[in-house]
Amino acid sequence: DAMVIQNPRYQVTQFGKPVTLSCSQTLNHNVMYWYQQKSSQAPKLLFHYYDKDFNNEADTPDNFQSRRPNTSFCFLDIRSPGLGDAAMYLCATSRGLAGDPHEQYFGPGTRLTVT
Amino acid sequence: QQPVQSPQAVILREGEDAVINCSSSKALYSVHWYRQKHGEAPVFLMILLKGGEQKGHEKISASFNEKKQQSSLYLTASQLSYSGTYFCGTIPSNTGKLIFGQGTTLQVKP
């Protein structure tokens, strides 16, 4: 019955080595989000897709990229991970945005460690 | 733009009540409440869409004062399962993006 699935749950990568995190959903929601959450902090929005329209937050580093090849899947690419990128990465989905706000459904997250 | 939550942390005994507040400097379109347990994803509790709206979910309820740009989450007769970090998320009227407060850690003891 999993609705938002993230793989892997734990990822270890080396400093500077590209890494890709994946998210899939069975809800057929048109909006998908990527958040970064560091220890004892609130989730911080990196970017989101409304269908195929990509929206980047102004303060999201260029090191972070995203792809959404279809409705169900979304990927987070970190081109050259630094030690400061170690965090929990949360994927979330919702049915809509501003004019029609709905709850966001979160995946279990991927905990990224950078060595 | 991040909403401010208070208190930062609460320790309760089972059966006690708690109130968590969330305030914003921006006019709000809606307020969301989530609970996150350690090492898990945030779980949606409720959305408040209109000024003055109140909602309830078992013994957890919330209010939204649109004029004051504030929301409060009420937990009554707390249970051990209520432990976790509670986040409010606000959507300012002009952006449509959810911005989370810094969180309030709630610990319920037997």
Side-chain angles (χ1 to χ4, degrees):
Chain A
D1 266 64
M3 295 184 290
V4 183
I5 303 160
Q6 290 188 245
N7 285 306
R9 294 290 311 276
Y10 301 90
Q11 176 73 57
V12 180
T13 191
Q14 292 177 338
F15 183 94
K17 185 174 180 182
V19 66
T20 295
L21 310 182
S22 73
C23 176
S24 63
Q25 55 138 337
T26 59
L27 298 163
N28 204 33
H29 284 169
N30 50 15
V31 190
M32 294 187 77
Y33 307 83
W34 279 105
Y35 290 89
Q36 179 192 63
Q37 186 176 29
K38 296 190 176 181
S39 182
S40 301
Q41 295 183 20
K44 178 181 178 296
L45 183 63
L46 295 173
F47 23 59
H48 73 274
Y49 276 92
Y50 187 95
D51 292 329
K52 293 184 178 181
D53 292 334
F54 176 70
N55 295 272
N56 199 32
E57 292 303 295
D59 57 355
T60 298
D62 292 339
N63 198 24
F64 291 82
Q65 304 284 319
S66 185
R67 297 171 281 135
R68 190 179 184 184
N70 54 54
T71 301
S72 301
F73 285 87
C74 196
F75 299 96
L76 170 62
D77 301 308
I78 308 177
R79 291 191 296 188
S80 182
L83 297 177
D85 296 328
M88 176 75 88
Y89 290 87
L90 296 163
C91 173
T93 72
S94 75
R95 281 187 284 159
L97 281 178
D100 188 22
H102 292 278
E103 65 263 33
Q104 295 189 15
Y105 293 82
F106 284 83
T110 294
R111 182 163 297 282
L112 178 69
T113 301
V114 182
T115 61
Chain B
Q1 286 192 358
Q2 183 181 34
V4 177
Q5 290 184 231
S6 62
Q8 286 191 318
V10 185
I11 300 176
L12 298 174
R13 293 285 180 190
E14 258 186 306
E16 292 181 338
D17 302 340
V19 180
I20 300 171
N21 299 303
C22 174
S23 63
S24 173
S25 60
K26 301 279 186 182
L28 298 176
Y29 184 78
S30 65
V31 178
H32 300 218
W33 285 97
Y34 289 80
R35 176 171 62 209
Q36 186 177 30
K37 293 187 181 279
H38 184 69
E40 299 180 11
V43 173
F44 170 76
L45 294 176
M46 63 190 80
I47 290 179
L48 299 104
L49 295 175
K50 298 177 184 176
E53 185 176 30
Q54 294 192 22
K55 279 196 173 180
H57 178 72
E58 296 179 344
K59 294 181 181 177
I60 301 175
S61 61
S63 63
F64 179 21
N65 187 323
E66 189 178 354
K67 193 172 181 181
K68 289 186 178 179
Q69 297 164 189
Q70 291 177 342
S71 177
S72 295
L73 186 72
Y74 307 94
L75 301 104
T76 58
S78 58
Q79 305 168 15
L80 295 176
S81 62
Y82 287 3
S83 294
T85 301
Y86 289 79
F87 291 100
C88 72
T90 56
I91 296 184
S93 301
N94 63 341
T95 69
K97 297 176 188 175
L98 189 64
I99 304 172
F100 286 97
Q102 81 277 21
T104 295
T105 301
L106 178 75
Q107 185 180 4
V108 181
K109 294 187 173 182

